[in-house]
mmCIF file of all heavy atoms in Angstrom:
data_model
loop_
_atom_site.group_PDB
_atom_site.id
_atom_site.type_symbol
_atom_site.label_atom_id
_atom_site.label_comp_id
_atom_site.label_asym_id
_atom_site.label_seq_id
_atom_site.Cartn_x
_atom_site.Cartn_y
_atom_site.Cartn_z
ATOM 1 N N MET A 1 0.829 -1.201 0.000
ATOM 2 C CA MET A 1 0.000 0.000 0.000
ATOM 3 C C MET A 1 0.863 1.250 0.000
ATOM 4 O O MET A 1 1.371 1.672 1.027
ATOM 5 C CB MET A 1 -0.834 0.038 1.279
ATOM 6 C CG MET A 1 -2.057 -0.837 1.218
ATOM 7 S SD MET A 1 -3.197 -0.312 2.482
ATOM 8 C CE MET A 1 -2.821 -1.451 3.792
ATOM 9 N N SER A 2 1.022 1.821 -1.122
ATOM 10 C CA SER A 2 1.767 3.075 -1.139
ATOM 11 C C SER A 2 0.796 4.222 -1.346
ATOM 12 O O SER A 2 0.690 4.793 -2.405
ATOM 13 C CB SER A 2 2.825 3.067 -2.239
ATOM 14 O OG SER A 2 2.246 2.658 -3.448
ATOM 15 N N LYS A 3 0.066 4.466 -0.300
ATOM 16 C CA LYS A 3 -0.992 5.461 -0.393
ATOM 17 C C LYS A 3 -0.533 6.812 0.125
ATOM 18 O O LYS A 3 -1.294 7.765 0.160
ATOM 19 C CB LYS A 3 -2.185 4.967 0.433
ATOM 20 C CG LYS A 3 -3.526 5.379 -0.179
ATOM 21 C CD LYS A 3 -4.645 4.841 0.674
ATOM 22 C CE LYS A 3 -5.897 5.679 0.499
ATOM 23 N NZ LYS A 3 -6.914 5.323 1.486
ATOM 24 N N THR A 4 0.698 6.844 0.572
ATOM 25 C CA THR A 4 1.197 8.090 1.146
ATOM 26 C C THR A 4 1.318 9.180 0.088
ATOM 27 O O THR A 4 2.031 9.032 -0.887
ATOM 28 C CB THR A 4 2.570 7.883 1.816
ATOM 29 O OG1 THR A 4 3.141 6.699 1.317
ATOM 30 C CG2 THR A 4 2.420 7.807 3.317
ATOM 31 N N LYS A 5 0.605 10.224 0.325
ATOM 32 C CA LYS A 5 0.637 11.348 -0.597
ATOM 33 C C LYS A 5 1.549 12.418 -0.003
ATOM 34 O O LYS A 5 1.395 12.783 1.148
ATOM 35 C CB LYS A 5 -0.780 11.892 -0.774
ATOM 36 C CG LYS A 5 -0.943 12.612 -2.090
ATOM 37 C CD LYS A 5 -2.415 12.824 -2.422
ATOM 38 C CE LYS A 5 -3.071 13.796 -1.458
ATOM 39 N NZ LYS A 5 -4.423 14.174 -1.840
ATOM 40 N N GLU A 6 2.477 12.875 -0.804
ATOM 41 C CA GLU A 6 3.356 13.937 -0.317
ATOM 42 C C GLU A 6 2.618 15.248 -0.323
ATOM 43 O O GLU A 6 2.143 15.732 -1.339
ATOM 44 C CB GLU A 6 4.581 14.043 -1.233
ATOM 45 C CG GLU A 6 5.641 13.031 -0.895
ATOM 46 C CD GLU A 6 6.784 13.653 -0.085
ATOM 47 O OE1 GLU A 6 7.063 14.850 -0.267
ATOM 48 O OE2 GLU A 6 7.387 12.938 0.714
ATOM 49 N N LEU A 7 2.528 15.808 0.855
ATOM 50 C CA LEU A 7 1.853 17.085 0.962
ATOM 51 C C LEU A 7 2.870 18.181 1.193
ATOM 52 O O LEU A 7 3.873 17.972 1.862
ATOM 53 C CB LEU A 7 0.864 17.056 2.126
ATOM 54 C CG LEU A 7 -0.309 16.086 1.970
ATOM 55 C CD1 LEU A 7 -1.065 15.978 3.280
ATOM 56 C CD2 LEU A 7 -1.231 16.544 0.865
ATOM 57 N N ALA A 8 2.589 19.319 0.636
ATOM 58 C CA ALA A 8 3.464 20.461 0.844
ATOM 59 C C ALA A 8 2.711 21.535 1.608
ATOM 60 O O ALA A 8 1.534 21.775 1.370
ATOM 61 C CB ALA A 8 3.932 21.010 -0.498
ATOM 62 N N CYS A 9 3.415 22.149 2.527
ATOM 63 C CA CYS A 9 2.835 23.209 3.336
ATOM 64 C C CYS A 9 2.247 24.300 2.440
ATOM 65 O O CYS A 9 2.890 24.745 1.486
ATOM 66 C CB CYS A 9 3.921 23.794 4.234
ATOM 67 S SG CYS A 9 3.377 25.173 5.235
ATOM 68 N N ASP A 10 1.021 24.710 2.735
ATOM 69 C CA ASP A 10 0.382 25.722 1.907
ATOM 70 C C ASP A 10 0.972 27.107 2.129
ATOM 71 O O ASP A 10 0.653 28.042 1.403
ATOM 72 C CB ASP A 10 -1.127 25.756 2.188
ATOM 73 C CG ASP A 10 -1.862 24.797 1.271
ATOM 74 O OD1 ASP A 10 -1.971 25.111 0.093
ATOM 75 O OD2 ASP A 10 -2.284 23.742 1.749
ATOM 76 N N LEU A 11 1.815 27.229 3.111
ATOM 77 C CA LEU A 11 2.431 28.532 3.339
ATOM 78 C C LEU A 11 3.863 28.566 2.825
ATOM 79 O O LEU A 11 4.234 29.435 2.067
ATOM 80 C CB LEU A 11 2.405 28.875 4.832
ATOM 81 C CG LEU A 11 2.828 30.311 5.095
ATOM 82 C CD1 LEU A 11 1.689 31.263 4.774
ATOM 83 C CD2 LEU A 11 3.290 30.510 6.519
ATOM 84 N N CYS A 12 4.665 27.602 3.231
ATOM 85 C CA CYS A 12 6.090 27.678 2.890
ATOM 86 C C CYS A 12 6.533 26.567 1.949
ATOM 87 O O CYS A 12 7.683 26.526 1.546
ATOM 88 C CB CYS A 12 6.910 27.652 4.171
ATOM 89 S SG CYS A 12 6.869 26.060 4.990
ATOM 90 N N SER A 13 5.619 25.668 1.612
ATOM 91 C CA SER A 13 5.904 24.598 0.647
ATOM 92 C C SER A 13 6.857 23.518 1.140
ATOM 93 O O SER A 13 7.298 22.686 0.355
ATOM 94 C CB SER A 13 6.451 25.177 -0.665
ATOM 95 O OG SER A 13 5.508 26.036 -1.228
ATOM 96 N N LEU A 14 7.167 23.524 2.400
ATOM 97 C CA LEU A 14 7.966 22.425 2.943
ATOM 98 C C LEU A 14 7.092 21.185 3.060
ATOM 99 O O LEU A 14 5.877 21.286 3.125
ATOM 100 C CB LEU A 14 8.490 22.811 4.333
ATOM 101 C CG LEU A 14 9.654 23.792 4.364
ATOM 102 C CD1 LEU A 14 9.969 24.160 5.810
ATOM 103 C CD2 LEU A 14 10.881 23.220 3.689
ATOM 104 N N PRO A 15 7.714 20.015 3.066
ATOM 105 C CA PRO A 15 6.932 18.787 3.230
ATOM 106 C C PRO A 15 6.185 18.782 4.561
ATOM 107 O O PRO A 15 6.703 19.240 5.575
ATOM 108 C CB PRO A 15 7.981 17.675 3.202
ATOM 109 C CG PRO A 15 9.242 18.284 2.731
ATOM 110 C CD PRO A 15 9.150 19.756 2.931
ATOM 111 N N VAL A 16 4.972 18.282 4.514
ATOM 112 C CA VAL A 16 4.133 18.259 5.708
ATOM 113 C C VAL A 16 4.209 16.885 6.358
ATOM 114 O O VAL A 16 4.028 15.877 5.682
ATOM 115 C CB VAL A 16 2.676 18.580 5.313
ATOM 116 C CG1 VAL A 16 1.727 18.351 6.473
ATOM 117 C CG2 VAL A 16 2.581 20.006 4.809
ATOM 118 N N PRO A 17 4.471 16.828 7.637
ATOM 119 C CA PRO A 17 4.490 15.541 8.345
ATOM 120 C C PRO A 17 3.084 14.971 8.421
ATOM 121 O O PRO A 17 2.106 15.714 8.301
ATOM 122 C CB PRO A 17 5.011 15.910 9.743
ATOM 123 C CG PRO A 17 4.715 17.363 9.906
ATOM 124 C CD PRO A 17 4.750 17.953 8.526
ATOM 125 N N PRO A 18 2.975 13.639 8.580
ATOM 126 C CA PRO A 18 1.657 12.988 8.582
ATOM 127 C C PRO A 18 0.655 13.646 9.520
ATOM 128 O O PRO A 18 -0.514 13.746 9.197
ATOM 129 C CB PRO A 18 1.968 11.563 9.034
ATOM 130 C CG PRO A 18 3.401 11.343 8.703
ATOM 131 C CD PRO A 18 4.069 12.689 8.779
ATOM 132 N N GLN A 19 1.118 14.077 10.665
ATOM 133 C CA GLN A 19 0.156 14.680 11.593
ATOM 134 C C GLN A 19 0.228 16.197 11.593
ATOM 135 O O GLN A 19 -0.121 16.839 12.569
ATOM 136 C CB GLN A 19 0.384 14.178 13.020
ATOM 137 C CG GLN A 19 0.192 12.703 13.177
ATOM 138 C CD GLN A 19 1.517 12.021 13.473
ATOM 139 O OE1 GLN A 19 2.578 12.516 13.084
ATOM 140 N NE2 GLN A 19 1.481 10.913 14.164
ATOM 141 N N GLY A 20 0.681 16.752 10.500
ATOM 142 C CA GLY A 20 0.782 18.200 10.420
ATOM 143 C C GLY A 20 -0.586 18.845 10.576
ATOM 144 O O GLY A 20 -1.596 18.249 10.255
ATOM 145 N N PRO A 21 -0.604 20.059 11.078
ATOM 146 C CA PRO A 21 -1.873 20.759 11.261
ATOM 147 C C PRO A 21 -2.556 20.986 9.916
ATOM 148 O O PRO A 21 -1.893 21.216 8.909
ATOM 149 C CB PRO A 21 -1.465 22.091 11.901
ATOM 150 C CG PRO A 21 -0.017 22.237 11.658
ATOM 151 C CD PRO A 21 0.546 20.868 11.467
ATOM 152 N N HIS A 22 -3.848 20.909 9.900
ATOM 153 C CA HIS A 22 -4.555 21.202 8.660
ATOM 154 C C HIS A 22 -5.810 22.003 8.941
ATOM 155 O O HIS A 22 -6.251 22.135 10.071
ATOM 156 C CB HIS A 22 -4.856 19.916 7.895
ATOM 157 C CG HIS A 22 -5.786 19.006 8.618
ATOM 158 N ND1 HIS A 22 -7.008 18.654 8.130
ATOM 159 C CD2 HIS A 22 -5.661 18.395 9.830
ATOM 160 C CE1 HIS A 22 -7.604 17.858 9.002
ATOM 161 N NE2 HIS A 22 -6.816 17.674 10.030
ATOM 162 N N LEU A 23 -6.322 22.542 7.875
ATOM 163 C CA LEU A 23 -7.413 23.481 7.980
ATOM 164 C C LEU A 23 -8.359 23.168 6.829
ATOM 165 O O LEU A 23 -7.930 23.084 5.693
ATOM 166 C CB LEU A 23 -6.823 24.881 7.822
ATOM 167 C CG LEU A 23 -7.559 26.080 8.370
ATOM 168 C CD1 LEU A 23 -7.698 25.969 9.888
ATOM 169 C CD2 LEU A 23 -6.765 27.331 8.047
ATOM 170 N N VAL A 24 -9.620 22.959 7.150
ATOM 171 C CA VAL A 24 -10.566 22.647 6.088
ATOM 172 C C VAL A 24 -11.381 23.879 5.746
ATOM 173 O O VAL A 24 -11.989 24.499 6.612
ATOM 174 C CB VAL A 24 -11.495 21.493 6.519
ATOM 175 C CG1 VAL A 24 -12.512 21.193 5.426
ATOM 176 C CG2 VAL A 24 -10.681 20.250 6.828
ATOM 177 N N LEU A 25 -11.336 24.228 4.493
ATOM 178 C CA LEU A 25 -12.078 25.394 4.013
ATOM 179 C C LEU A 25 -13.077 24.923 2.982
ATOM 180 O O LEU A 25 -12.745 24.744 1.825
ATOM 181 C CB LEU A 25 -11.126 26.368 3.319
ATOM 182 C CG LEU A 25 -10.261 27.279 4.165
ATOM 183 C CD1 LEU A 25 -9.526 28.225 3.243
ATOM 184 C CD2 LEU A 25 -11.100 28.063 5.139
ATOM 185 N N GLY A 26 -14.297 24.708 3.405
ATOM 186 C CA GLY A 26 -15.274 24.198 2.449
ATOM 187 C C GLY A 26 -14.820 22.848 1.928
ATOM 188 O O GLY A 26 -14.612 21.922 2.692
ATOM 189 N N ASP A 27 -14.621 22.746 0.637
ATOM 190 C CA ASP A 27 -14.185 21.469 0.085
ATOM 191 C C ASP A 27 -12.684 21.453 -0.146
ATOM 192 O O ASP A 27 -12.144 20.558 -0.761
ATOM 193 C CB ASP A 27 -14.941 21.139 -1.213
ATOM 194 C CG ASP A 27 -14.822 22.259 -2.236
ATOM 195 O OD1 ASP A 27 -14.230 23.303 -1.899
ATOM 196 O OD2 ASP A 27 -15.316 22.095 -3.351
ATOM 197 N N ARG A 28 -12.020 22.451 0.356
ATOM 198 C CA ARG A 28 -10.585 22.514 0.189
ATOM 199 C C ARG A 28 -9.897 22.232 1.516
ATOM 200 O O ARG A 28 -10.378 22.658 2.555
ATOM 201 C CB ARG A 28 -10.214 23.922 -0.279
ATOM 202 C CG ARG A 28 -8.937 23.917 -1.072
ATOM 203 C CD ARG A 28 -8.602 25.300 -1.579
ATOM 204 N NE ARG A 28 -7.149 25.421 -1.576
ATOM 205 C CZ ARG A 28 -6.497 26.566 -1.458
ATOM 206 N NH1 ARG A 28 -7.159 27.676 -1.320
ATOM 207 N NH2 ARG A 28 -5.196 26.577 -1.458
ATOM 208 N N GLU A 29 -8.797 21.522 1.445
ATOM 209 C CA GLU A 29 -8.078 21.248 2.677
ATOM 210 C C GLU A 29 -6.661 21.781 2.562
ATOM 211 O O GLU A 29 -5.932 21.450 1.635
ATOM 212 C CB GLU A 29 -8.064 19.755 2.947
ATOM 213 C CG GLU A 29 -7.512 19.458 4.327
ATOM 214 C CD GLU A 29 -7.721 18.005 4.714
ATOM 215 O OE1 GLU A 29 -8.369 17.258 3.970
ATOM 216 O OE2 GLU A 29 -7.201 17.627 5.765
ATOM 217 N N LEU A 30 -6.314 22.613 3.515
ATOM 218 C CA LEU A 30 -4.973 23.165 3.529
ATOM 219 C C LEU A 30 -4.159 22.432 4.569
ATOM 220 O O LEU A 30 -4.669 22.049 5.615
ATOM 221 C CB LEU A 30 -5.033 24.649 3.891
ATOM 222 C CG LEU A 30 -5.904 25.500 2.979
ATOM 223 C CD1 LEU A 30 -6.188 26.834 3.633
ATOM 224 C CD2 LEU A 30 -5.244 25.703 1.645
ATOM 225 N N VAL A 31 -2.899 22.237 4.279
ATOM 226 C CA VAL A 31 -2.033 21.558 5.232
ATOM 227 C C VAL A 31 -0.811 22.427 5.513
ATOM 228 O O VAL A 31 -0.375 23.204 4.666
ATOM 229 C CB VAL A 31 -1.598 20.184 4.710
ATOM 230 C CG1 VAL A 31 -2.767 19.223 4.708
ATOM 231 C CG2 VAL A 31 -0.984 20.290 3.332
ATOM 232 N N PHE A 32 -0.287 22.265 6.691
ATOM 233 C CA PHE A 32 0.856 23.079 7.098
ATOM 234 C C PHE A 32 1.913 22.203 7.748
ATOM 235 O O PHE A 32 1.612 21.197 8.368
ATOM 236 C CB PHE A 32 0.393 24.171 8.064
ATOM 237 C CG PHE A 32 -0.678 25.048 7.465
ATOM 238 C CD1 PHE A 32 -2.006 24.787 7.691
ATOM 239 C CD2 PHE A 32 -0.341 26.107 6.642
ATOM 240 C CE1 PHE A 32 -2.998 25.577 7.125
ATOM 241 C CE2 PHE A 32 -1.315 26.904 6.063
ATOM 242 C CZ PHE A 32 -2.646 26.639 6.305
ATOM 243 N N CYS A 33 3.154 22.637 7.625
ATOM 244 C CA CYS A 33 4.246 21.850 8.180
ATOM 245 C C CYS A 33 4.334 22.019 9.687
ATOM 246 O O CYS A 33 4.911 21.193 10.374
ATOM 247 C CB CYS A 33 5.555 22.237 7.507
ATOM 248 S SG CYS A 33 6.045 23.940 7.819
ATOM 249 N N CYS A 34 3.779 23.113 10.194
ATOM 250 C CA CYS A 34 3.848 23.348 11.634
ATOM 251 C C CYS A 34 2.760 24.318 12.049
ATOM 252 O O CYS A 34 2.139 24.982 11.212
ATOM 253 C CB CYS A 34 5.223 23.911 11.999
ATOM 254 S SG CYS A 34 5.530 25.515 11.244
ATOM 255 N N GLU A 35 2.528 24.393 13.358
ATOM 256 C CA GLU A 35 1.502 25.285 13.875
ATOM 257 C C GLU A 35 1.779 26.732 13.505
ATOM 258 O O GLU A 35 0.887 27.534 13.302
ATOM 259 C CB GLU A 35 1.446 25.175 15.408
ATOM 260 C CG GLU A 35 1.163 23.780 15.906
ATOM 261 C CD GLU A 35 -0.328 23.512 15.977
ATOM 262 O OE1 GLU A 35 -1.110 24.458 15.912
ATOM 263 O OE2 GLU A 35 -0.686 22.329 16.086
ATOM 264 N N GLY A 36 3.057 27.066 13.463
ATOM 265 C CA GLY A 36 3.442 28.434 13.130
ATOM 266 C C GLY A 36 2.927 28.841 11.759
ATOM 267 O O GLY A 36 2.361 29.908 11.577
ATOM 268 N N CYS A 37 3.124 27.963 10.793
ATOM 269 C CA CYS A 37 2.665 28.267 9.439
ATOM 270 C C CYS A 37 1.144 28.376 9.405
ATOM 271 O O CYS A 37 0.589 29.228 8.737
ATOM 272 C CB CYS A 37 3.137 27.189 8.470
ATOM 273 S SG CYS A 37 4.837 27.443 7.939
ATOM 274 N N GLN A 38 0.487 27.521 10.149
ATOM 275 C CA GLN A 38 -0.962 27.584 10.184
ATOM 276 C C GLN A 38 -1.416 28.916 10.757
ATOM 277 O O GLN A 38 -2.321 29.562 10.239
ATOM 278 C CB GLN A 38 -1.522 26.437 11.032
ATOM 279 C CG GLN A 38 -3.024 26.340 10.932
ATOM 280 C CD GLN A 38 -3.605 25.362 11.939
ATOM 281 O OE1 GLN A 38 -3.157 25.298 13.072
ATOM 282 N NE2 GLN A 38 -4.585 24.603 11.537
ATOM 283 N N GLY A 39 -0.764 29.330 11.814
ATOM 284 C CA GLY A 39 -1.105 30.599 12.447
ATOM 285 C C GLY A 39 -0.882 31.775 11.509
ATOM 286 O O GLY A 39 -1.706 32.673 11.407
ATOM 287 N N ILE A 40 0.231 31.754 10.817
ATOM 288 C CA ILE A 40 0.523 32.846 9.890
ATOM 289 C C ILE A 40 -0.477 32.852 8.738
ATOM 290 O O ILE A 40 -0.997 33.891 8.349
ATOM 291 C CB ILE A 40 1.965 32.714 9.354
ATOM 292 C CG1 ILE A 40 2.957 32.930 10.494
ATOM 293 C CG2 ILE A 40 2.207 33.736 8.238
ATOM 294 C CD1 ILE A 40 4.379 32.549 10.139
ATOM 295 N N TRP A 41 -0.775 31.684 8.228
ATOM 296 C CA TRP A 41 -1.737 31.606 7.130
ATOM 297 C C TRP A 41 -3.076 32.190 7.571
ATOM 298 O O TRP A 41 -3.726 32.932 6.863
ATOM 299 C CB TRP A 41 -1.910 30.162 6.673
ATOM 300 C CG TRP A 41 -2.697 30.074 5.391
ATOM 301 C CD1 TRP A 41 -2.187 30.022 4.139
ATOM 302 C CD2 TRP A 41 -4.125 30.084 5.261
ATOM 303 N NE1 TRP A 41 -3.225 30.002 3.231
ATOM 304 C CE2 TRP A 41 -4.419 30.039 3.893
ATOM 305 C CE3 TRP A 41 -5.171 30.131 6.180
ATOM 306 C CZ2 TRP A 41 -5.727 30.031 3.418
ATOM 307 C CZ3 TRP A 41 -6.471 30.132 5.701
ATOM 308 C CH2 TRP A 41 -6.746 30.076 4.333
ATOM 309 N N ARG A 42 -3.481 31.846 8.782
ATOM 310 C CA ARG A 42 -4.745 32.362 9.313
ATOM 311 C C ARG A 42 -4.726 33.877 9.386
ATOM 312 O O ARG A 42 -5.696 34.547 9.078
ATOM 313 C CB ARG A 42 -4.964 31.811 10.710
ATOM 314 C CG ARG A 42 -5.691 30.509 10.724
ATOM 315 C CD ARG A 42 -6.437 30.420 12.050
ATOM 316 N NE ARG A 42 -7.328 29.291 12.068
ATOM 317 C CZ ARG A 42 -7.155 28.232 12.854
ATOM 318 N NH1 ARG A 42 -6.122 28.170 13.643
ATOM 319 N NH2 ARG A 42 -8.013 27.261 12.837
ATOM 320 N N MET A 43 -3.590 34.401 9.853
ATOM 321 C CA MET A 43 -3.475 35.851 9.960
ATOM 322 C C MET A 43 -3.603 36.516 8.604
ATOM 323 O O MET A 43 -4.224 37.558 8.449
ATOM 324 C CB MET A 43 -2.116 36.209 10.557
ATOM 325 C CG MET A 43 -2.170 36.426 12.051
ATOM 326 S SD MET A 43 -0.507 36.644 12.708
ATOM 327 C CE MET A 43 0.123 37.868 11.577
ATOM 328 N N LEU A 44 -2.980 35.885 7.611
ATOM 329 C CA LEU A 44 -2.987 36.465 6.272
ATOM 330 C C LEU A 44 -4.340 36.295 5.585
ATOM 331 O O LEU A 44 -4.665 37.005 4.659
ATOM 332 C CB LEU A 44 -1.905 35.800 5.409
ATOM 333 C CG LEU A 44 -0.467 36.030 5.870
ATOM 334 C CD1 LEU A 44 0.479 35.209 5.016
ATOM 335 C CD2 LEU A 44 -0.100 37.494 5.788
ATOM 336 N N ASN A 45 -5.081 35.332 6.035
ATOM 337 C CA ASN A 45 -6.331 35.020 5.342
ATOM 338 C C ASN A 45 -7.541 35.120 6.261
ATOM 339 O O ASN A 45 -8.473 34.355 6.152
ATOM 340 C CB ASN A 45 -6.255 33.610 4.754
ATOM 341 C CG ASN A 45 -5.217 33.522 3.664
ATOM 342 O OD1 ASN A 45 -5.492 33.808 2.502
ATOM 343 N ND2 ASN A 45 -4.017 33.142 4.027
ATOM 344 N N GLN A 46 -7.510 36.061 7.145
ATOM 345 C CA GLN A 46 -8.663 36.257 8.010
ATOM 346 C C GLN A 46 -9.875 36.513 7.142
ATOM 347 O O GLN A 46 -9.823 37.274 6.204
ATOM 348 C CB GLN A 46 -8.440 37.454 8.930
ATOM 349 C CG GLN A 46 -7.536 37.118 10.089
ATOM 350 C CD GLN A 46 -7.171 38.363 10.868
ATOM 351 O OE1 GLN A 46 -7.758 39.407 10.675
ATOM 352 N NE2 GLN A 46 -6.187 38.244 11.730
ATOM 353 N N GLY A 47 -10.956 35.859 7.481
ATOM 354 C CA GLY A 47 -12.127 36.032 6.644
ATOM 355 C C GLY A 47 -12.327 34.803 5.775
ATOM 356 O O GLY A 47 -13.432 34.322 5.642
ATOM 357 N N ALA A 48 -11.239 34.296 5.220
ATOM 358 C CA ALA A 48 -11.350 33.087 4.409
ATOM 359 C C ALA A 48 -11.397 31.869 5.316
ATOM 360 O O ALA A 48 -12.137 30.934 5.077
ATOM 361 C CB ALA A 48 -10.177 32.964 3.453
ATOM 362 N N ALA A 49 -10.593 31.919 6.364
ATOM 363 C CA ALA A 49 -10.526 30.783 7.262
ATOM 364 C C ALA A 49 -11.671 30.839 8.258
ATOM 365 O O ALA A 49 -12.097 31.913 8.667
ATOM 366 C CB ALA A 49 -9.198 30.788 8.000
ATOM 367 N N PRO A 50 -12.170 29.681 8.629
ATOM 368 C CA PRO A 50 -13.197 29.635 9.650
ATOM 369 C C PRO A 50 -12.653 30.182 10.958
ATOM 370 O O PRO A 50 -11.637 29.707 11.441
ATOM 371 C CB PRO A 50 -13.548 28.148 9.766
ATOM 372 C CG PRO A 50 -12.416 27.410 9.123
ATOM 373 C CD PRO A 50 -11.773 28.365 8.157
ATOM 374 N N ALA A 51 -13.290 31.167 11.482
ATOM 375 C CA ALA A 51 -12.815 31.771 12.716
ATOM 376 C C ALA A 51 -12.964 30.799 13.865
ATOM 377 O O ALA A 51 -13.983 30.143 13.991
ATOM 378 C CB ALA A 51 -13.610 33.026 12.993
ATOM 379 N N PRO A 52 -11.947 30.681 14.696
ATOM 380 C CA PRO A 52 -11.938 29.725 15.803
ATOM 381 C C PRO A 52 -13.195 29.785 16.660
ATOM 382 O O PRO A 52 -14.045 28.937 16.570
ATOM 383 C CB PRO A 52 -10.710 30.129 16.602
ATOM 384 C CG PRO A 52 -9.805 30.751 15.601
ATOM 385 C CD PRO A 52 -10.707 31.396 14.568
ATOM 386 N N ALA A 53 -13.370 30.790 17.454
ATOM 387 C CA ALA A 53 -14.567 30.913 18.281
ATOM 388 C C ALA A 53 -14.619 32.339 18.742
ATOM 389 O O ALA A 53 -15.248 32.721 19.703
ATOM 390 C CB ALA A 53 -14.503 29.950 19.451
ATOM 391 N N ASP A 54 -13.916 33.096 17.994
ATOM 392 C CA ASP A 54 -13.641 34.475 18.327
ATOM 393 C C ASP A 54 -14.699 35.375 17.731
ATOM 394 O O ASP A 54 -14.826 36.536 18.045
ATOM 395 C CB ASP A 54 -12.294 34.812 17.692
ATOM 396 C CG ASP A 54 -11.558 35.844 18.501
ATOM 397 O OD1 ASP A 54 -11.360 35.600 19.697
ATOM 398 O OD2 ASP A 54 -11.225 36.890 17.934
ATOM 399 N N ASN A 55 -15.437 34.772 16.869
ATOM 400 C CA ASN A 55 -16.337 35.455 15.973
ATOM 401 C C ASN A 55 -17.665 35.751 16.625
ATOM 402 O O ASN A 55 -18.525 36.373 16.049
ATOM 403 C CB ASN A 55 -16.555 34.484 14.799
ATOM 404 C CG ASN A 55 -16.935 35.210 13.538
ATOM 405 O OD1 ASN A 55 -17.095 36.424 13.575
ATOM 406 N ND2 ASN A 55 -17.092 34.495 12.462
ATOM 407 N N LYS A 56 -17.815 35.267 17.842
ATOM 408 C CA LYS A 56 -19.152 35.209 18.404
ATOM 409 C C LYS A 56 -19.753 36.547 18.793
ATOM 410 O O LYS A 56 -20.896 36.819 18.499
ATOM 411 C CB LYS A 56 -19.159 34.265 19.598
ATOM 412 C CG LYS A 56 -19.649 32.907 19.180
ATOM 413 C CD LYS A 56 -20.235 32.171 20.357
ATOM 414 C CE LYS A 56 -21.197 31.079 19.901
ATOM 415 N NZ LYS A 56 -21.440 30.126 20.955
ATOM 416 N N GLY A 57 -18.982 37.355 19.467
ATOM 417 C CA GLY A 57 -19.545 38.595 19.941
ATOM 418 C C GLY A 57 -19.787 39.637 18.855
ATOM 419 O O GLY A 57 -20.369 40.666 19.130
ATOM 420 N N ARG A 58 -19.338 39.321 17.657
ATOM 421 C CA ARG A 58 -19.428 40.335 16.602
ATOM 422 C C ARG A 58 -20.567 40.022 15.644
ATOM 423 O O ARG A 58 -20.520 39.056 14.925
ATOM 424 C CB ARG A 58 -18.131 40.361 15.811
ATOM 425 C CG ARG A 58 -17.112 41.261 16.442
ATOM 426 C CD ARG A 58 -15.788 41.065 15.746
ATOM 427 N NE ARG A 58 -15.486 42.138 14.813
ATOM 428 C CZ ARG A 58 -14.657 41.987 13.788
ATOM 429 N NH1 ARG A 58 -14.087 40.852 13.567
ATOM 430 N NH2 ARG A 58 -14.393 42.997 13.008
ATOM 431 N N SER A 59 -21.552 40.861 15.639
ATOM 432 C CA SER A 59 -22.573 40.682 14.624
ATOM 433 C C SER A 59 -22.458 41.816 13.620
ATOM 434 O O SER A 59 -22.328 42.962 13.989
ATOM 435 C CB SER A 59 -23.960 40.667 15.279
ATOM 436 O OG SER A 59 -24.062 41.744 16.167
ATOM 437 N N SER A 60 -22.495 41.465 12.366
ATOM 438 C CA SER A 60 -22.302 42.502 11.358
ATOM 439 C C SER A 60 -23.616 43.156 11.012
ATOM 440 O O SER A 60 -24.594 42.506 10.842
ATOM 441 C CB SER A 60 -21.669 41.889 10.114
ATOM 442 O OG SER A 60 -22.223 40.643 9.827
HETATM 443 ZN ZN1 LIG B 101 5.267 25.651 6.542
#
């Protein structure tokens, strides 16, 4: 079974470890090599990424 798919970090393009952090955006799945990259990606893409739980007190 060679089902291992090489994933590249969506931020820095480094190889992503099997348990690397990931983020699901609708039908798209982003993967990151580390929590740091995930955090930075979130910062850069606020609005696109599902807000953690921070979004609650704000009604537009
Ligand atoms: Zn990365």
Side-chain angles (χ1 to χ4, degrees):
M1 280 199 263
S2 49
K3 214 179 155 190
T4 19
K5 205 165 67 172
E6 278 259 329
L7 295 170
C9 177
D10 270 287
L11 189 78
C12 70
S13 300
L14 284 175
V16 171
Q19 298 112 333
H22 64 118
L23 202 62
V24 178
L25 281 186
D27 55 356
R28 207 178 146 207
E29 189 170 355
L30 303 165
V31 290
F32 303 95
C33 64
C34 63
E35 302 273 345
C37 278
Q38 188 189 39
I40 294 168
W41 190 94
R42 271 208 171 113
M43 264 173 49
L44 296 174
N45 294 274
Q46 282 172 12
D54 211 55
N55 205 356
K56 263 205 158 162
R58 273 171 103 203
S59 48
S60 41

